[in-house]
Amino acid sequence: DHGTVIYGKKSKILQNLHDVTQRIRFNTHSGFICIDPDDIFYCEADGNYCFIYLPKQRRECVTLKIGHVQRLLPGRSFMRAGRSIVININTLLRYDKKKKTIELEKDGESLILEAPSGFKKDYESFMRQKSELHVDSLELTSEIQSYR
């Protein structure tokens, strides 16, 4: 029926809009690149620039400092690890305190990095803040529903 067709088109348009708006624009030396944050393994500082590590051994150099890159990324998924690395926490597979490494994995592809000093403490702090934010948002949702 006609209503179903319109609904289907609206749904498709909204999905396409979501796909486009989920990407973040980063300036590069030659222009800009749009990257879906879910595709990022990690970001690494290099002075006034930042390298973004992506699947298939791709690495993009963007003309932003790491702090600015981190502010553009969704805070619930990206964690600062030391001074020079921001990790997509959804790709974190393993931390090895003896070898002082972290392993990131996405879709069967993995990367091993040297763990910054204090990584375990940073990770635990990030996860604690993340869970506190989740509890706060649940409480807010419950308060909003009680007003209805």
Side-chain angles (χ1 to χ4, degrees):
D1 112 314
H2 185 64
T4 305
V5 172
I6 291 172
Y7 176 77
K9 285 181 180 178
K10 279 184 181 178
S11 177
K12 183 80 170 163
I13 290 168
L14 289 173
Q15 181 59 46
N16 289 340
L17 182 61
H18 177 265
D19 291 347
V20 170
T21 57
Q22 188 171 347
R23 291 176 171 236
I24 298 172
R25 177 188 155 166
F26 296 97
N27 291 332
T28 64
H29 289 292
S30 60
F32 66 88
I33 185 167
C34 296
I35 299 174
D36 183 335
D38 291 340
D39 290 340
I40 298 172
F41 277 108
Y42 72 102
C43 305
E44 183 176 33
D46 186 13
N48 289 330
Y49 303 102
C50 183
F51 287 101
I52 299 176
Y53 291 82
L54 302 159
K56 299 179 184 164
Q57 301 178 350
R58 283 184 42 226
R59 180 178 89 158
E60 296 288 342
C61 180
V62 299
T63 57
L64 295 169
K65 291 183 177 184
I66 195 151
H68 192 129
V69 169
Q70 183 179 9
R71 285 189 295 277
L72 292 173
L73 297 169
R76 68 187 179 283
S77 301
F78 287 85
M79 173 193 125
R80 187 71 169 258
R83 292 178 52 124
S84 62
I85 295 178
V86 173
I87 294 172
N88 180 344
I89 205 72
N90 298 320
T91 67
L92 181 63
L93 178 65
R94 176 177 296 121
Y95 164 65
D96 188 321
K97 67 181 178 183
K98 289 182 182 173
K99 293 180 184 176
K100 297 182 180 172
T101 59
I102 45 180
E103 184 175 357
L104 307 176
E105 190 271 334
K106 179 175 175 44
D107 299 331
E109 184 178 345
S110 67
L111 298 170
I112 296 177
L113 316 171
E114 182 179 326
S117 62
F119 175 78
K120 184 178 177 189
K121 188 173 123 185
D122 291 344
Y123 173 77
E124 289 169 348
S125 172
F126 176 83
M127 294 308 286
R128 194 169 33 258
Q129 287 176 345
K130 189 175 172 178
S131 86
E132 287 170 4
L133 286 174
H134 180 70
V135 168
D136 288 347
S137 70
L138 288 176
E139 289 173 356
L140 182 59
T141 302
S142 139
E143 286 180 32
I144 290 169
Q145 288 176 346
S146 69
Y147 285 115
R148 291 181 177 170

